[in-house]
Amino acid sequence: MTRTRGIWVAAALAAQGLLGCGGGDAPAPTSPSSRAPGNAPAAPAAQSPPTFVEAAAKWGVDFTHVYAHEQRFWFPELASGALALFDYDGDGDLDLYCVQAGDCKAGEVVTEGNVLYRNDGGHFTDVTAEAGVGDTGYGHGVAVGDYDNDGDLDLYVANLYANVLYRNDGDGTFTDVTAQAGVGLDKWTVSCGFFDYDRDGDLDLFAVNNVNWSPIVEMKCETNYGVQDYCSPGNYNAPSVDTLYRNEGDGTFTDVTESSGISKGTGVGWGVAAADFNLDGWIDFYVTNDGMANLLWLNDQKGGFTDRALLLGCALNVNGTAEAGMGVQAVDVENDGDVDLFMTHMHNETNTFYLNKKGVFTDRTAATGLGVTSLLYTGFGMGFHDFDLDGELDLYIANGRVGLTPPHLSEQDPYAEPNQLYFGLGDGKFREDTRGPTAKKLLGTSRAAAFGDIDDDGDVDLVYMDWAAPVKLLENVGERRGGWIGFRVVGPHGSDALGATVEVVAGGRSQFRRCDPCYSFCSANDTRVHYGLGPAQSVEEVHVTWPTGERETFGPFEAGRYHTLRQGTGR
Amino acid sequence: MPIPTSFVPRRSRPALALALTLLAACGGGPTSPGPAVRLVGGPELDADVRALAATRADAVDGAPLDAELRVQLALAYEANGLWVEAERAWDQALHFDAERPVWLSHKAHALAERGDIDAAVATFERVVQLDPAQDAARFRLGMLYLERAEDERALAAFAEVARRQPNAPSAFVGQAEALNNLERESEAVAAAEQAVKLEPSYKRAHYALGIAYRGLGRLEEAERELALGADSEARYLGDSLSVQMQASRRGFGARVQDAIDLVDANRPAAAVPILEEVLVGHPDDRIALVNLGVAYIHTNRPEDAVRVLTRAAELDANDFAVLINLATAELALGRKVDGLRHSEQCVKAAPNVSATYYMRAHAYMAFDRIAEAFTDLKKAMALDTGDPRYPLEAGDCAVALGRTDEGIELLNAGLRLQPDSVPGLVRLGSACHALGRRAEAVDAYRRAKQLQPAQAGVKELGRLLGLE
């Protein structure tokens, strides 16, 4: 993550090939970069007010992130905490779960615990105690999904130490079933998600593990200017193996990391995206690693996976460089039916967009307009949504530094950066709204960000977590440039059909979305699929490809409201 | 981005100097661009950087009409990554000669680094208009064109650099990257192959070649080239100020980082004096001590390595990085008992770190305890599947233990991660030959011969196979 200097390990006694002497090139300058914000590209011509207004207090959200009681510069401090927007009580609106970090001195975690807020229509109420989900681990991630197929959404909390599975009992309470389910993974887990990779009708669990960390591997790192700072993950020489759990359908999971082949890849993972990247009908996994090659695990349809990221073009950027992969989303930006990849990186690297063509990815960051404008910042949470309802996906990115690089943008927080909003222009191109996402400039060290229609008014809002600061809730109040429609897609058990692809045809044009809460950075998002319709007045038809491979058609539908698509009721 | 049209013919420098002299003599001489640019950074800035900036700024204020002093100040900021100050300082230098190409080029670089890409592009374009021989500026311009998806312009810029500097592989890589973006893969292959020919170990060239092969459907070659190109880094061309700029690098951290970069670039001898100098001012800095120890190891000075690493161990006896390097140096000196003891401490200190098992495996090998070495190498592999050394050396151990089939499998796994490992190919060829798998042995030999035809192991394998 940070490119601070640190101790590195000699190549020991290995025979390494000597580099050639080269031709006429001079060595690259090794200047530490301290880019300052410059004159960004022109803002959209729109005269409308900025898209969001910060409204956490109005909504009663008073959660404040804590990464340590005393800054030790331990690596897990750097990107802790997580957020989930999900409807735990089945009343149709989004509730909010905030995962707390705390203090992790020498393995003893001291924390105020996680908080669940129930959406009471315009106001959130803290229901943590009655719901029983106030886990007190040092939290880093969260996943939602109905693992037991009883029609409500369960919670998996990823921690620095043991993870926790909360089963939703359907009556407003949860039960900690970690032990009986067998998913109390005692590694440093960050992002995680539920997906049905074996198409057996129940949700399996993929957990991304970061550095093989314990306090003993900590070391002192400094900036190029000689002050203590966070180390880069590479300093630890301790990449980790991610974990795959297969759901046995009886409330238990089996760790299939070894047998599935997932153990054959190591990395320093932060993000995971799951989708059918090669269009064979089966869920594959993509993991963003920090300073190491990303992994694309292709599903062999027999329970096994093989990493093909390098050959298929999404392990390294266009220059062959491993970037500091943070947040990630599998998203069909071009609406051509296959799933592209976008991920956030640290400053001096672009955020990167990999265009998918028949299962082969090409780094097309430059062509999207998302490249040069991201060089200044370190991106974490992110989400593509049609915030202005014009029929084109827009993009929100939550930024925050991981190193002390001058000049500082905030006197209070040397790691703080502004977040960014991009508007989609069509044809896979974007332009930054240089006014920023909000009228009042917000600076913070942002990490997790979760997206969803919190106020059920038909546009997409978001929450994000700033380092050592109160959670922010951004209500979408921007100009509406078209109509909208949304769908909840549910399988035969009444559960959200995670992994379903939903193609909406409106005004003669198709838009593809996926029922997938697992994107952004260490966050779980609204499971509903949402579309801006631009000038279209209604939706002609909707084609759903279910996680089990079946395809059904629904519609027509009236715009301006949410509908439910139930598997087996289409045509 | 349109080319600026306000082209002004470049005045020759002697003429300009004469003009300035005449103006000064007439009382209308050059004016000062103002007080020297001072640091705006916070207290986190290294004292050495502050001192350099202050000294050079004081010099500027002492002779405000001296353009060269302004240049030195700008270089100080640029060399230390202080882009806001660098841009302002270059502006002041340009006050004396607004069209000095190399100064403009450095200003453009500062603009790019602080995020103003449009202005940087326009300025670089101006530079190459003023002086078409500014290859470094044209190269950076090409890179910025690539970042803006202006691939045709990038291609033209790199082609011009390549025409002028036919021995600069990066110019050919730039062409290959632009051609890949334009989906002209056959031409990209030619450009990338030229870069590889100029510098066979240039990773970025291999990566561009891999992308081109993949676009042409040549997947086996693509996979090999992409693996060879993994973890490449950007490089740029130097210009007439590069040496002065590098000499302006200051700061404890920056100097240590420079040294690390030199070791990474297989230039450990150049890293040693930097670290030795750094330690004069910071004798108990563990990071500098460890890195100096590593540099000594790489320059075959294990005794010196043991000396500085022992000092580092006194500062922190449980630091696995200290222990691992100390064990390495001790083994190099033949102090096997010490090496094993420290490598065991190392595993205990960091049981989740693959390199610690790798280290202990080497200590076991020193005692010919191959089975234990093999076990540790397998542990290292389980902890980090991306390091080719582990399967390659585990393969060696397996062969030595008589488990040749397993050894071949491991060697192949290692070669997938590092296809250009000549020792790995030689070992694979030998193992395959031992099992009578001649076709695989010959294939490994041919690949090795292609990479290093004169290497002794390659020749020996060739003789073994009756091919030399």
Side-chain angles (χ1 to χ4, degrees):
Chain A
M1 200 180 289
T2 51
R3 289 211 173 268
T4 51
R5 72 199 176 93
I7 296 164
W8 43 262
V9 175
L13 306 175
Q16 296 286 331
L18 289 173
L19 292 174
C21 296
D25 291 358
T30 52
S31 51
S33 283
S34 62
R35 293 165 188 259
N39 301 327
Q47 298 300 309
S48 58
T51 303
F52 297 103
V53 62
E54 206 288 307
K58 181 187 118 183
W59 278 79
V61 177
D62 56 0
F63 183 92
T64 295
H65 171 254
V66 177
Y67 68 85
H69 294 156
E70 164 202 344
Q71 188 176 30
R72 300 184 184 90
F73 293 98
W74 285 3
F75 193 52
E77 294 172 5
L78 198 50
S80 53
L83 290 165
L85 280 170
F86 73 121
D87 181 11
Y88 88 96
D89 53 1
D91 65 352
D93 56 28
L94 289 173
D95 309 297
L96 171 63
Y97 189 60
C98 301
V99 176
Q100 183 61 280
D103 193 278
C104 63
K105 185 176 182 180
E108 287 176 36
V109 176
V110 180
T111 176
E112 292 179 7
N114 304 343
V115 174
L116 176 64
Y117 291 100
R118 184 182 63 219
N119 188 338
D120 290 332
H123 190 271
F124 281 115
T125 304
D126 183 341
V127 293
T128 312
E130 64 193 76
V133 288
D135 179 54
T136 53
Y138 192 91
H140 271 275
V142 61
V144 298
D146 182 12
Y147 85 93
D148 54 356
N149 275 332
D150 65 351
D152 50 39
L153 290 169
D154 310 296
L155 270 177
Y156 186 68
V157 181
N159 288 324
L160 177 59
Y161 299 111
N163 299 341
V164 175
L165 177 62
Y166 286 116
R167 185 189 65 213
N168 190 334
D169 295 325
D171 59 358
T173 69
F174 290 77
T175 301
D176 181 344
V177 295
T178 312
Q180 67 194 72
V183 290
L185 181 63
D186 195 9
K187 286 183 164 186
W188 174 15
T189 305
V190 284
S191 288
C192 47
F194 287 103
F195 318 97
D196 184 9
Y197 79 87
D198 52 4
R199 297 200 348 184
D200 64 351
D202 53 35
L203 291 172
D204 312 295
L205 178 60
F206 192 97
V208 176
N209 302 313
N210 199 272
V211 166
N212 236 325
W213 186 88
S214 66
I216 201 164
V217 304
E218 271 302 339
M219 62 190 82
K220 187 181 175 190
C221 290
E222 296 175 356
T223 68
N224 279 337
Y225 301 105
V227 293
Q228 186 170 9
D229 204 352
Y230 289 93
C231 294
S232 159
N235 291 131
Y236 297 96
N237 287 283
S240 186
V241 171
D242 300 323
T243 303
L244 178 61
Y245 288 110
R246 184 181 63 219
N247 189 335
E248 302 298 354
D250 59 358
T252 69
F253 289 80
T254 301
D255 184 339
V256 293
T257 308
E258 197 75 35
S259 60
S260 65
I262 295 292
S263 64
K264 291 181 180 165
T266 45
V268 179
W270 283 115
V272 60
D276 176 13
F277 292 109
N278 58 356
L279 294 175
D280 66 352
W282 294 72
I283 287 284
D284 312 299
F285 298 114
Y286 182 78
V287 178
T288 54
N289 284 318
D290 190 347
M292 294 178 67
N294 299 327
L295 303 166
L296 175 62
W297 293 110
L298 291 187
N299 190 330
D300 70 2
Q301 309 177 16
K302 298 170 195 160
F305 290 85
T306 306
D307 170 31
R308 302 297 283 163
L310 184 65
L311 180 63
L312 297 180
C314 53
L316 309 166
N317 72 7
V318 68
N319 306 323
T321 305
E323 298 181 296
M326 314 285 191
V328 61
Q329 186 171 5
V331 55
D332 186 357
V333 169
E334 292 201 316
N335 283 313
D336 60 353
D338 55 26
V339 185
D340 312 305
L341 282 163
F342 178 82
M343 60 216 65
T344 50
H345 294 127
M346 63 184 284
H347 81 108
N348 278 347
E349 298 173 341
T350 65
N351 296 327
T352 299
F353 176 75
Y354 291 105
L355 178 71
N356 186 351
K357 288 277 184 213
K358 298 178 181 172
V360 176
F361 292 86
T362 307
D363 179 345
R364 287 287 187 222
T365 308
T368 61
L370 297 169
V372 291
T373 50
S374 65
L375 282 165
L376 291 176
Y377 304 117
T378 297
F380 280 86
M382 45 75 53
F384 282 92
H385 287 282
D386 187 355
F387 295 114
D388 59 1
L389 309 179
D390 66 348
E392 302 293 345
L393 283 173
D394 311 306
L395 171 65
Y396 184 92
I397 299 178
N399 293 314
R401 294 179 185 174
V402 293
L404 292 166
T405 47
H408 300 158
L409 306 181
S410 159
E411 288 183 8
Q412 289 75 39
D413 178 0
Y415 297 91
E417 291 181 336
N419 294 344
Q420 292 171 286
L421 176 65
Y422 293 87
F423 287 111
L425 305 175
D427 292 332
K429 293 184 168 38
F430 295 83
R431 181 180 296 162
E432 185 182 5
D433 183 350
T434 51
R435 300 168 304 173
T438 52
K440 183 184 171 191
K441 192 172 183 182
L442 297 173
L443 280 175
T445 306
S446 301
R447 301 295 189 238
F451 298 80
D453 184 0
I454 294 169
D455 51 8
D456 274 318
D457 65 348
D459 54 33
V460 177
D461 315 292
L462 66 110
V463 285
Y464 67 89
M465 189 174 274
D466 278 344
W467 209 44
V471 160
K472 308 292 189 301
L473 188 157
L474 298 194
E475 211 175 296
N476 188 338
V477 295
E479 181 190 17
R480 294 186 169 207
R481 302 173 67 192
W484 67 278
I485 197 166
F487 298 96
R488 183 170 179 236
V489 286
V490 296
H493 303 289
S495 317
D496 291 289
L498 305 193
T501 299
V502 185
E503 176 190 0
V504 158
V505 183
R509 173 172 176 255
S510 285
Q511 293 189 62
F512 293 83
R513 303 277 193 277
R514 297 170 53 254
C515 176
D516 177 14
C518 182
Y519 62 89
S520 185
F521 178 80
C522 298
S523 302
N525 303 272
D526 194 347
T527 53
R528 294 174 295 187
V529 289
H530 175 273
Y531 304 78
L533 297 176
Q537 300 297 313
S538 62
V539 167
E540 287 103 75
E541 54 185 14
V542 177
H543 307 292
V544 180
T545 304
W546 298 99
T548 45
E550 290 94 354
R551 190 171 156 86
E552 283 183 274
T553 297
F554 300 82
F557 288 104
E558 177 191 350
R561 54 172 287 226
Y562 288 100
H563 304 264
T564 298
L565 307 175
R566 194 172 296 275
Q567 187 169 4
T569 64
R571 58 183 185 274
Chain B
M1 171 62 61
I3 303 289
T5 52
S6 59
F7 177 76
V8 179
R10 183 182 173 213
R11 292 167 292 187
S12 69
R13 205 161 304 148
L16 174 66
L18 177 62
L20 290 173
T21 308
L22 288 172
L23 281 168
C26 298
T31 55
S32 165
V37 176
R38 300 277 171 174
L39 270 173
V40 295
E44 73 280 0
L45 288 178
D46 188 283
D48 293 342
V49 178
R50 287 188 163 282
L52 177 74
T55 303
R56 292 195 181 176
D58 289 346
V60 165
D61 285 338
L65 297 183
D66 189 329
E68 181 55 29
L69 291 176
R70 304 270 177 180
V71 169
Q72 291 304 315
L73 180 59
L75 286 173
Y77 290 132
E78 184 177 342
N80 292 290
L82 298 158
W83 301 112
V84 174
E85 293 90 342
E87 185 201 339
R88 292 176 53 215
W90 281 117
D91 267 338
Q92 290 195 342
L94 286 159
H95 174 84
F96 295 97
D97 183 354
E99 295 186 339
R100 182 78 66 95
V102 72
W103 296 357
L104 265 181
S105 177
H106 281 257
K107 180 190 171 181
H109 183 202
L111 284 165
E113 286 289 339
R114 73 160 191 76
D116 196 343
I117 303 296
D118 288 346
V121 167
T123 309
F124 277 129
E125 286 174 340
R126 180 81 182 129
V127 171
V128 298
Q129 267 189 332
L130 290 167
D131 182 2
Q134 290 290 330
D135 295 331
R138 196 185 298 277
F139 187 85
R140 284 194 182 271
L141 181 58
M143 298 292 269
L144 290 179
Y145 283 146
L146 281 180
E147 285 200 32
R148 295 178 4 149
E150 297 178 41
D151 297 315
E152 293 282 6
R153 284 171 185 256
L155 180 59
F158 292 126
E160 177 60 15
V161 176
R163 188 187 67 76
R164 292 179 39 79
Q165 291 199 32
N167 291 321
S170 55
F172 293 95
V173 171
Q175 288 183 74
E177 289 173 350
L179 288 162
N180 276 332
N181 290 346
L182 293 164
E183 298 183 359
R184 290 160 56 181
E185 287 92 352
S186 296
E187 295 165 77
V189 165
E193 282 180 342
Q194 178 62 22
V196 169
K197 190 175 164 190
L198 287 166
E199 187 178 333
S201 61
Y202 188 6
K203 288 187 171 192
R204 194 155 167 165
H206 286 286
Y207 198 77
L209 185 56
I211 289 178
Y213 280 148
R214 190 182 60 208
L216 294 171
R218 295 162 62 175
L219 297 185
E220 199 174 318
E221 292 154 292
E223 191 155 28
R224 184 191 68 225
E225 293 299 326
L226 290 167
L228 287 171
D231 297 327
S232 73
E233 297 209 347
R235 63 166 70 166
Y236 299 92
L237 299 180
D239 63 23
S240 59
L241 293 175
S242 294
V243 173
Q244 286 183 67
M245 191 175 75
Q246 195 59 30
S248 298
R249 286 272 281 170
R250 290 290 190 282
F252 175 67
R255 301 292 284 155
V256 173
Q257 187 60 53
D258 285 348
I260 291 172
D261 291 341
L262 285 166
V263 178
D264 285 347
N266 274 340
R267 297 174 59 199
V272 166
I274 294 173
L275 289 163
E276 287 176 338
E277 185 193 327
V278 160
L279 277 164
V280 171
H282 305 79
D284 286 337
D285 188 276
R286 193 164 42 89
I287 295 170
L289 285 167
V290 172
N291 284 308
L292 180 57
V294 172
Y296 282 144
I297 290 169
H298 282 273
T299 47
N300 296 318
R301 295 170 61 180
E303 284 187 29
D304 290 325
V306 168
R307 177 175 49 80
V308 296
L309 291 165
T310 301
R311 175 66 192 134
E314 286 165 9
L315 297 167
D316 184 350
N318 292 315
D319 184 327
F320 82 91
V322 173
L323 294 167
I324 206 167
N325 290 306
L326 187 53
T328 303
E330 287 164 341
L331 289 179
L333 285 170
R335 290 163 50 179
K336 295 191 287 186
V337 175
D338 289 337
L340 182 57
R341 178 168 55 87
H342 283 128
S343 61
E344 281 175 338
Q345 282 179 20
C346 190
V347 169
K348 199 173 164 190
N352 293 331
V353 176
S354 61
T356 65
Y357 295 97
Y358 180 71
M359 184 66 251
R360 193 171 66 179
H362 278 268
Y364 285 138
M365 283 183 212
F367 286 95
D368 283 331
R369 291 159 64 174
I370 305 300
E372 287 153 293
F374 181 65
T375 303
D376 269 0
L377 287 167
K378 296 277 277 188
K379 278 182 188 159
M381 278 177 66
L383 285 166
D384 183 357
T385 56
D387 192 322
R389 294 174 300 168
Y390 305 156
L392 285 173
E393 295 186 32
D396 257 0
C397 289
V399 171
L401 291 166
R403 295 154 66 169
T404 311
D405 278 317
E406 189 179 359
I408 290 171
E409 201 176 307
L410 287 161
L411 288 165
N412 274 318
L415 285 164
R416 277 193 291 277
L417 295 168
Q418 190 184 347
D420 61 349
S421 168
V422 172
L425 287 165
V426 170
R427 290 176 222 150
L428 177 66
S430 302
C432 290
H433 172 72
L435 288 187
R437 290 157 60 169
R438 181 172 170 80
E440 292 164 77
V442 170
D443 180 58
Y445 164 72
R446 289 197 170 134
R447 284 158 62 193
K449 190 172 172 64
Q450 199 173 14
L451 289 162
Q452 283 186 28
Q455 208 245 30
V458 177
K459 286 176 173 287
E460 180 57 32
L461 178 61
R463 279 192 287 275
L464 197 64
L465 295 168
L467 298 171
E468 290 216 10

